[in-house]
Amino acid sequence: MYLYMGNDQKRTAVTMIVWLCLLVAFLGCRLPVVGTEEDSGPFSTPFPSLNADALLSPNCSQLTLKLDFSTKVVKHEYIVAFNGYFTAKARSDFISSALRDVDAVNWRIVRRDNPASDYPSDFEVVEIRQDTRSSLLTLQDHPYIKRVTPQRMVLRSLKLTDTGTDGASPCNDTRWVQKWQSWQSSRPLRRTSLSLGSGFWHATGRHSSRRLLRAIPRHVAQILQADVLWQMGHTGSGVKVAVFDTGLSEKHPHFKNVKERTNWTNEKTLDDGLGHGTFVAGVIASMRECQGFAPDSELHIFRVFTNNQVSYTSWFLDAFNYAILKKIDVLNLSIGGPDFMDHPFVDKVWELTANKVIMVSAIGNDGPLYGTLNNPADQMDVIGVGGIDFEDNIARFSSRGMTTWELPGGYGRVKPDIVTYGSGVRGSGLKEGCRSLSGTSVASPVVAGAVTLLASTVLNRELVNPASMKQALIASARRLPGVNMFEQGHGKLDLLRAYQILNSYKPQASLSPSYIDLTECPYMWPYCSQPIYYGGMPTIVNVTILNGMGVTGRIVDKPIWQPYLPQNGDYVDVAVSYSPVLWPWAGYLAVSVSVAKKAASWEGIAQGHVMVTVASPAENDVSNTGEMTSTVKLPVKVKIVPTPPRSKRILWDQYHNLRYPPGYFPRDNLRMKNDPLDWNGDHIHTNFRDMYQHLRSMGYFVEVLGAPITCFDASQYGTLLMVDSEEEYFPEEITKLRRDIDNGLSLIVFSDWYNTSVMRKVKFYDENTRQWWMPDTGGANVPALNDLIAVWGMAFSDGLYEGDFTMADHDMYYASGCSIARFPEDGIVIAQTLKDQGLEVLKQETAVVENVPVLGLYQTPSEGGGRIALYGDSNCIDDSHRQKDCFWLLDALLQYTSYSMTPPSLTHSKNRVVPPTGTDRPLPQRLEGNHLYRYSKVLEAHLGDPKPRPLPACPHLSWAKPQPLNETRKKYKYYMKILKIRK
């Protein structure tokens, strides 16, 4: 009723329909009320508690629910993390002594009544209401206090999408759907849900697709052949598995070994009021109907969400500590988000796995876009799980792409680890019966149940740890044909093969991926998509080292590069960097592959391997002198081609792309309020993947610059491509680029919006810093770009425009782009009629602006000089929220910059205008008080305004001294050659 209160009779009629849906749903689906809380921030609008039955009743079957997580800070509350575990009295004494120094009186320790209260803890929740800043600084200075962070409230809510086609259902009223979606889209999300509600709350058999019914002849545990292990007497006995979710009713008929139910919320109940926790527990351990994998396992239920879908960081931390105390073996966590810098949460995950807790987590539901892996599933000590359907297709919703937290310096690592069924899987109903659910939060308990069952088959449980279990899963996984490793990881879960490997397992180190083959497509995409050549940027492959010998380890000496001489391995140069310490259970091995000078005009396959030896302290070695060692080989195979001509080589500037976290870098398309943060990496192999594929199909070679502009040889490249840059530029970069363009390098810039008034408008309250955040840049850092191109009399404006138009007979969409404010008078400028989106955002007014300059082409005057092309919007080549691609425009610009071919369709366009002089309005200035320097590689804090750091040295790879194999054969061939010459 709240939604329609005070409206006319027409909306009153809609209200009656909604209540009718509620009544029908109450008789059918029995899903309880789900409430939400109001977020802080200018985007936020309160929304009433709704009964979700209204959305999933028989008459509303075309509507699909998705669970979403968002967070907000709890006012005045802080999590004080200590350097160890202390009693409640000791923790209180530490905090009291710290705050006594600043005479803080208005503070208190928040009481936490839960099962962990009687045990030592490594954190406390403190409420501080006076002189907050000085109190926090004093707390952080205490020798026993590690970190002080804001307390967070986690909100899990329902998100509605209309999947109907005919609109006949009364519940498909577009105003209802749009109102719900509008409210949802106003919430800045952090940790997103990993469950999709399509069909979840439906009774058995209520599937809309007959094909889906045929595709699920048995329960998922039987499909994965768990019954084979059951017949051998393995049913999960003796393994403790924890489910962190919404609880479980005491007398649910599906479970016979619920060892403990604990409540970590502020509600006085242990029961599941929603059904999600029951479903997850059922996939793992149900003993009847929709049977789980490990029915005899010890089930530990952690109720960390209320019936209103609310949780707090401190609830999770207390529950995690209790899980460690109870020596939990396997823990399923079906939440996630892009924020790998949530320090208390990530630190506690590391501590869990270091204590041999095998954590299984869903990879996320943000597919099919690349660069969308969720945390904590993207951590190397966690088993990250993606989803497939029952026909072994990667589920469209499953997140994918390399881990983005190691960008922009180079490349990320392979995730998910494995994939399994996550679409239309059946699990236990709230009180009885079976229901279906889709999402990676379904795939996660499938793997958690399989892991629990597998652990129960191992006689020597000391061999089972987070690394050894992951090693068994990935070594046994079945490769899916036609799918790359950043979508499927190591492949589909194979329970029986994992059982065989685990039961013959000996502690060892292994690598993920276990080999590098740049000729194997499509699995080794993107590495296989482009051959390597002399003079190119080194190809970087980040490999994860898994250490099954112990929670900590080290690399012995240095990895060794051994080229295979008969297989032309001496044509390859290899550099290796690696983790100084492997902890917990894992580390990294970064392999840089380049082509030797002698192969500059050679074409063929070259091979070799990298040899790595890992050492770990021996278990139960009191003297700490004994070590276990394991040596592993990383085979390397590459395809080498002659160095392409300069005109075919494009250099992608990755160094100047920044992403959330840690800073607030907003999305480029301001219409996408439901996804306000730019967190996909802005890499050619994440959200610019389609553009990269297109350029390769056109015969271009694309390389990645992960260093300043001063660190590449411009004579090797035809075009430098800068897209959506947020970073500043060193003065030396500006000088060098001018010199490079004078000498023939060309430049293409795809910019985005930058308007300080709009930036202030899209601020939000950040839970990390407990303050209002304004963007540190706009969609792109236009003032920095203007500094870069000012020498040619060019600049972008602070205008913000949107709209559809036609250019060169192509339909185009301008999504929150800027305009060209200045351009040389002898250049070519194309203008369009667009809407003033800045005016719409700031004043909710609509205005159309004619002759907005959006595209500029310029030939520099120096002899042999390069060409410059500017375009004011990057959305048309970005996969994130692209509506209409403009790859044709990129082709035309590359024809211009690489081959001096000016497109006639642009030069003779009726939309060509006189280049703007930019004298009528000032150029955009940097937002006063912005915090870009905190995250920038270029800026540093300084009294007054930030200033550039000293220009860093260019990366210098230490090429491994090769230790060739088959040296004798090489000498033999040499002597034979000498003999032939003599003859």
Side-chain angles (χ1 to χ4, degrees), residues 271-284:
D271 291 343
D272 182 2
L274 296 171
H276 189 267
T278 303
F279 180 94
V280 170
V283 171
I284 296 172

Side-chain angles (χ1 to χ4, degrees), residues 810-824:
H810 292 272
D811 291 335
M812 301 280 285
Y813 175 66
Y814 215 63
S816 305
C818 67
S819 65
I820 296 174
R822 294 178 185 173
F823 209 73

Side-chain angles (χ1 to χ4, degrees), residues 391-433:
E391 295 178 353
D392 287 355
N393 301 307
I394 299 293
R396 180 175 174 80
F397 55 74
S398 188
S399 292
R400 63 202 71 190
M402 61 184 64
T403 57
T404 57
W405 48 272
E406 287 166 312
L407 300 176
Y411 289 80
R413 285 192 261 179
V414 174
K415 280 282 182 168
D417 295 301
I418 57 172
V419 293
T420 193
Y421 302 120
S423 183
V425 172
R426 299 175 70 194
S428 297
L430 181 60
K431 299 298 183 182
E432 59 184 358

Side-chain angles (χ1 to χ4, degrees), residues 69 73 119 195 211 267 500 514 581 583 619 666-667 670 673 752 758 774 783 798 901 934 942 983:
F69 285 90
V73 73
Y119 301 97
S195 61
R211 178 184 179 190
E267 292 181 339
Q500 294 168 353
S514 58
V581 176
W583 186 90
E619 289 285 335
R667 273 286 184 213
L670 287 174
K673 294 181 182 180
D752 251 291
V758 172
M774 283 184 289
D798 66 353
M901 296 173 59
R934 294 179 179 174
H942 190 257
K983 289 181 179 179

